[in-house]
Structures are given as C-alpha cells and as structure tokens.
Amino acid sequence: MKTRRRIFQVILYLFFLFLLFRTVYPLGERTPNIFTRLSALNPLYLMILGKFTGLFIPGLIILSLTFILGRFFCGWVCPMGTTIDIGEKIVGGSDNSTSARKFGWIKYIILVATMFTGIFGLSTGYIFEPMSLSYRFYTFCIFPVVDLFWRAVRQYVPAISGFELSIYPITYRLGLFYFILFLVIIILGRYYRRFWCRNLCPLGALLSIPGRLSLIQKKVSDDCIKCGLCTRKCKMGAIPKDPKEFIASECIYCFDCVKECPVNAISFRIDKPRSMENLLTDIRNFIKGGKPRHPETATGFTRKNLLEALGFGSLAVVMSRVDHNRRFRDPALIRPPAALPENDFNTACIRCGKCMKVCITGGLQPTILEGGIEALMTPRLMPAVGFCQDKCNMCSEICPTGAIQPFEWSDKPHIKMGLAKIDRNHCLAWYRDEYCLVCEEYCPYKAVYWKEIDGRLYPLVDYDKCVGCGTCENKCPVNPVSAIRVFTQGEKRIELKTGEKWSEVNPIESTSESDKFIERPESNLYKNP
C-alpha cells in the first residue's frame, strides 16, 4: 500500500511541476490553478473575506472527504509535503517522532489567528497557506535556476533550441528569502520529521479536525511485539508509546508503519472512529479549561491557546491599521492591469504568485512593505525589471480569484495603471539638449510625443493616452534611475460590473494640441532649476 501511495504522490508532484513550468506565455488551454483550488483553506478564507467564488468548491470537497478518508491530502496530494519528504531524504530525517508533538498547538494558533484577522479584512492566512507557499517557493527560487540552466543547455543542443521556458531571463525579489525559509523547514526534519506539517501548517490544523473522525482506522493485531519501531518511524508522530493507540487527527496515511512492522501486525481498515467516543468529552473539557481525557493523543490546543490566537490576531489587525506604509503608500507601487481597488485587491489576492510566474517580462514582482502589512506578497509592477506587454492579458487569465479582473489585451488602452512622468533634471533631451527618441519610439500607446520649444524638440507625455505600462521607464538609457518613471498618480482602478466594458467605463479623452502644449510641461512632477 505504501508503494501505491508513493507512486500516486510522485505522479501528482510531477503534475504540479508540469503545470508550474507550463504557466508561461502563451497560456493556452490548461488548468494551472488546480492545486490552489484543492486547498481547503482558500475557500474558507475567501468566505470570511467575502470573496468566495465557485472555482474553489474542490477545496470544500477535499474538506468533506477528510471526514471519511482522514488527512490523506497531506500525505498523498500536497506538493509542499512532497517537497519536505524529498528534502528530508537528502538531509536525513530523525526517528524521534513523539517528542515534537509538544509544539502541535502552534498550527492551531496560526489557523485561528489568521481566520480572526480575516473578519476584519486582513488576509494574513495566505502567507502560511501551503499551496500558495509552495508555489511561491518554486516560482521565486527553483524556476529561475532551471531557466538559467536550460538557456545554457540550449546553446549546445540545437534540437531543443526552439523550446523556451521564458522569453526573458527571469529573477524575483525574495528568492533568497524563500530558499532560506524552505532550507530551515527541511533542516528541522533532521530533528523532527515533517516539522512544518506537524507544528506550523494551518491547512494541516484545519484537516486534523474532520480527520479525527476518519473511518479508516489503524489496527494492531496480537502479533505485535511492542518493539516501538512504528512509533519511531512515524513521520507525523501519530503513534504514541502504546502502538495500539492511534492519533487519527495527525495521521496522513503514508503507511510507513505498515512497511516497517517486522511482524506485519499493523493494517488499516474501515471501522468506527475511536476518537468519536472521547470527542464530546474533550470538547466539554476544552470549554471548561480542563485537560483532555487522553492527554497523550490530544492536540495540545487549550482554551489559553485560543485566547492567545485571538490576541495575536487582534494585534495584527491593529498594527495593520496604524501601519505608516498603509497610509502613505509608495507612489511607485503599480498594480497589475485591471487590478481591483487597493483594499479589495489585497483581500482577494491569495498570494499564489501565478501572475508573477506568467508575466512575459518578469515585471510583476512580490510586494514587501511598500503598501503596508496587508499588501505583503501581493504582485506589483516594477518597470525597471520588466514592463507590461501591450499584447498580453495572461495575468488576468491565470488569477484564480478575480483580484486581477478579466480583460482582453485590446482593452489595455482603457486600463490605467499609473502615469509616466519625465524628470527634466535627468532627461537627456531636457537636461543636456541631446537628441534622444527612446521613450517615444518604444511607447506602444503613442503616449510620448515631441514638441518644439524655443527651437528645440522636447519629449512630453500625453496623460490621456498613457496607461502606466512602464515601457518607457524600462527602455530609458539613463542610469541608474530612469529619467522617465511611472507613478500611481492617474491610476483608475474600477471593479467592473457584469456586462460592462473597459472602453465604456474608462474612455480615452481627447485633448487639443494647444492644451497639451500649454498644460502638460507645466504639470510634470519635476521642474528645471
């Protein structure tokens, strides 16, 4: 049975990697969002935040199946669990399994605290959600390395020269951070196997609740010699000192115990869950603040831990409300095209990183603290890294929640992400009177034009045509900071209603040449000294 489980786990892991590496332009007819939709946490978070869509019904189905099959998702499906298993095979895992259960209450605190913050519109849960976390790890860390290696190989193997993983060489902010994070998680496996799954994963905490009532129960025959091998080898610490006991809420049905048993005394069968007998008693003791009936098989989550979780959640909400970066957002914090208004965008975005992965130029990068705590890990456009391609709408097609609203690339002239402004103190044409046409030549929307002033030509920005795509900033030859930059001033972020079109809600206004000549130079951000 363990072999079948391992084969199924490997197949799903390879499928996860296939979808990851094929989430590139052009997207085509694929299902790149399937794993984020399978997470039972995402639909619950979205319900609390008021952003639930029918696309996440598979996650609710997984949650329902856990009542019958237990935490099979953690041992059979979850790509983060598979990544940890692979990492622990490399660094070596510990056999000391039961002592790590004393930290198991932490994952319940994370679960309760993140759900509590969601009531107040603060979406902190996606920072810890394992589907999004594993996708960010592979996107920010693994993909750039593989892409670099692939580009090197293509130079020497002509047969694969036509197959590209990305059009441009891609790198991401926080790539080193996620590498160190996963390295720490895997190294902890040298001391407690699957430390993340046991003690920190909020999805594991959620699935452990219905998993306690699983109909698939571990059975130990009288042939058991009580050697303790199953207890030591259990990667989740689900077998206490008495091998006939069974912690269904922690078991991920990896069947390692079945394989390791020297006398074949362990099997799994459909039976009435033993935890049902003590569930109501444990709930009553939890409410009263007492100890569970069976401390060795309990979660360790007490009423005190509940109050601590609510306290941490309240602190996070308060800190986000008084966050300086939230009140005074970075003026260069450009969001993807058709992004929802800021508060709704931060709430709806699940931080899966798929829009950043599919971006042709790599211009979409994770936000750190430029928009406050509540905007952490959401996508932003960094024109210095990559511009927004005019004939591309992949980010809207890949977004699973509608945080980036659907649009066609032909709608992009009507979608205002920001506004380009010329720094006349650095522009070669304005400051040094040099003949430079780069911004005007590259602008796909013809938003940069030239005017003769005092017998010389100078570049100006047509505010009505500029959409803030960042092409001009990306191509500007001035270093280290471009002489033309994109700012959030002029952005128009609207939640499109059913049946509305971008051309209707945001038409391009025409301005006469005389108005452009008189008003535009005087309204630029930077002035000549």
Side-chain angles (χ1 to χ4, degrees):
M1 193 65 181
K2 178 183 177 180
T3 303
R4 298 175 188 173
R5 195 272 309 178
R6 183 62 57 83
I7 293 174
F8 187 82
Q9 184 185 24
V10 170
I11 291 175
L12 283 183
Y13 178 69
L14 294 176
F15 183 57
F16 168 79
L17 293 180
F18 170 77
L19 293 179
L20 174 82
F21 284 97
R22 293 305 298 161
T23 306
V24 293
Y25 179 90
L27 196 57
E29 298 295 331
R30 305 185 188 99
T31 54
N33 291 317
I34 185 171
F35 280 91
T36 51
R37 293 173 185 172
L38 291 177
S39 172
L41 264 184
N42 284 333
L44 294 185
Y45 283 143
L46 291 171
M47 285 180 183
I48 295 174
L49 294 165
K51 301 294 182 180
F52 178 77
T53 67
L55 296 175
F56 287 89
I57 290 179
L60 298 178
I61 296 176
I62 293 294
L63 184 63
S64 302
L65 289 175
T66 308
F67 283 96
I68 303 173
L69 304 176
R71 286 178 60 180
F72 75 98
F73 183 87
C74 303
W76 293 60
V77 181
C78 181
M80 184 159 185
T82 306
T83 302
I84 293 174
D85 285 343
I86 295 173
E88 290 181 353
K89 283 288 185 181
I90 297 174
V91 303
S94 171
D95 287 343
N96 186 9
S97 62
T98 57
S99 59
R101 295 200 65 251
K102 60 184 178 181
F103 302 113
W105 51 271
I106 299 178
K107 63 177 179 284
Y108 295 99
I109 287 185
I110 295 175
L111 174 66
V112 174
T114 52
M115 286 192 168
F116 180 74
T117 59
I119 298 175
F120 299 92
L122 181 61
S123 53
T124 58
Y126 304 127
I127 306 299
F128 302 95
E129 199 280 316
M131 296 296 103
S132 298
L133 186 59
S134 58
Y135 207 100
R136 291 197 299 270
F137 166 69
Y138 279 96
T139 298
F140 298 163
C141 298
I142 305 301
F143 179 77
V145 175
V146 175
D147 182 51
L148 180 65
F149 175 76
W150 185 257
R151 289 177 182 274
V153 172
R154 285 172 52 210
Q155 297 179 3
Y156 302 99
V157 185
I160 61 174
S161 60
F163 182 76
E164 297 179 337
L165 294 179
S166 63
I167 298 178
Y168 297 93
I170 302 295
T171 56
Y172 295 95
R173 308 169 82 193
L174 300 178
L176 179 61
F177 168 78
Y178 276 98
F179 174 77
I180 295 175
L181 174 64
F182 268 70
L183 186 63
V184 170
I185 290 174
I186 292 172
I187 289 177
L188 286 173
R190 290 182 57 87
Y191 304 96
Y192 305 122
R193 294 183 66 187
R194 281 218 179 192
F195 186 91
W196 164 269
C197 306
R198 294 193 204 187
N199 305 310
L200 301 176
C201 181
L203 178 58
L206 175 65
L207 296 180
S208 70
I209 299 173
R212 184 171 182 173
L213 306 178
S214 170
L215 297 179
I216 301 179
Q217 297 289 307
K218 181 175 76 74
K219 300 295 181 180
V220 180
S221 67
D222 294 334
D223 296 334
C224 176
I225 59 176
K226 295 185 178 181
C227 62
L229 189 61
C230 58
T231 300
R232 295 194 302 271
K233 292 295 182 180
C234 179
K235 65 177 67 176
M236 291 295 293
I239 304 176
K241 294 179 181 180
D242 184 356
K244 293 191 175 183
E245 290 289 340
F246 172 55
I247 310 173
S249 61
E250 295 297 315
C251 180
I252 60 173
Y253 299 93
C254 63
F255 303 118
D256 283 352
C257 55
V258 177
K259 181 180 179 180
E260 297 293 341
C261 182
V263 294
N264 297 322
I266 301 176
S267 62
F268 283 81
R269 304 173 188 172
I270 298 177
D271 197 3
K272 177 183 177 181
R274 285 174 288 178
S275 300
M276 181 70 78
E277 303 172 0
N278 306 319
L279 178 60
L280 295 179
T281 302
D282 288 347
I283 293 175
R284 285 194 294 266
N285 288 337
F286 176 83
I287 296 174
K288 295 178 182 179
K291 294 182 178 181
R293 185 174 180 180
H294 294 281
E296 188 179 28
T297 61
T299 62
F301 187 72
T302 63
R303 190 168 63 178
K304 176 184 176 182
N305 297 140
L306 175 62
L307 296 177
E308 290 173 346
L310 297 178
F312 286 130
S314 301
L315 180 61
V317 172
V318 172
M319 293 304 296
S320 69
R321 294 297 185 267
V322 299
D323 189 352
H324 176 83
N325 290 333
R326 179 177 183 267
R327 294 185 59 195
F328 303 98
R329 197 175 57 147
D330 184 351
L333 182 58
I334 309 299
R335 292 306 191 179
L340 291 171
E342 187 67 12
N343 290 337
D344 293 333
F345 178 76
N346 291 332
T347 300
C349 177
I350 63 173
R351 281 76 167 169
C352 63
K354 289 184 172 64
C355 57
M356 306 179 213
K357 172 65 175 60
V358 81
C359 182
I360 300 177
T361 64
L364 289 182
Q365 296 285 327
T367 301
I368 303 179
L369 294 175
E370 298 92 337
I373 299 174
E374 61 186 7
L376 186 65
M377 298 301 166
T378 55
R380 61 167 297 183
L381 178 67
M382 299 186 69
V385 178
F387 56 93
C388 184
Q389 181 68 254
D390 60 318
K391 290 182 173 57
C392 175
N393 65 336
M394 294 298 98
C395 57
S396 70
E397 291 192 5
I398 200 72
C399 181
T401 64
I404 303 176
Q405 302 173 84
F407 68 90
E408 299 296 331
W409 63 262
S410 57
D411 295 325
K412 296 188 83 169
H414 303 278
I415 301 174
K416 303 288 187 179
M417 295 179 286
L419 194 63
K421 294 180 178 293
I422 298 175
D423 182 353
R424 299 185 184 181
N425 293 323
H426 292 84
C427 177
L428 298 179
W430 280 95
Y431 180 61
R432 299 176 60 176
D433 292 329
E434 294 185 8
Y435 192 69
C436 179
L437 299 173
V438 172
C439 55
E440 188 269 341
E441 289 176 344
Y442 278 99
C443 180
Y445 303 99
K446 305 302 179 183
V448 180
Y449 65 99
W450 290 81
K451 269 295 181 181
E452 184 177 344
I453 303 175
D454 297 331
R456 293 178 180 175
L457 289 175
Y458 296 96
L460 302 172
V461 177
D462 187 340
Y463 288 5
D464 299 322
K465 294 182 179 180
C466 180
V467 300
C469 67
T471 305
C472 54
E473 180 177 342
N474 182 266
K475 301 300 182 180
C476 180
V478 178
N479 288 312
V481 179
S482 299
I484 181 169
R485 298 186 61 193
V486 179
F487 297 94
T488 55
Q489 180 184 356
E491 68 173 354
K492 296 181 180 179
R493 294 165 65 179
I494 308 167
E495 185 171 359
L496 207 64
K497 298 179 181 178
T498 304
E500 287 185 334
K501 298 181 180 179
W502 289 103
S503 58
E504 297 174 351
V505 300
N506 195 20
I508 300 177
E509 300 177 1
S510 60
T511 308
S512 65
E513 286 292 315
S514 59
D515 288 340
K516 290 180 182 178
F517 178 71
I518 295 173
E519 296 181 5
R520 292 303 187 262
E522 295 302 321
S523 60
N524 276 326
L525 178 65
Y526 298 100
K527 310 289 185 179
N528 277 328

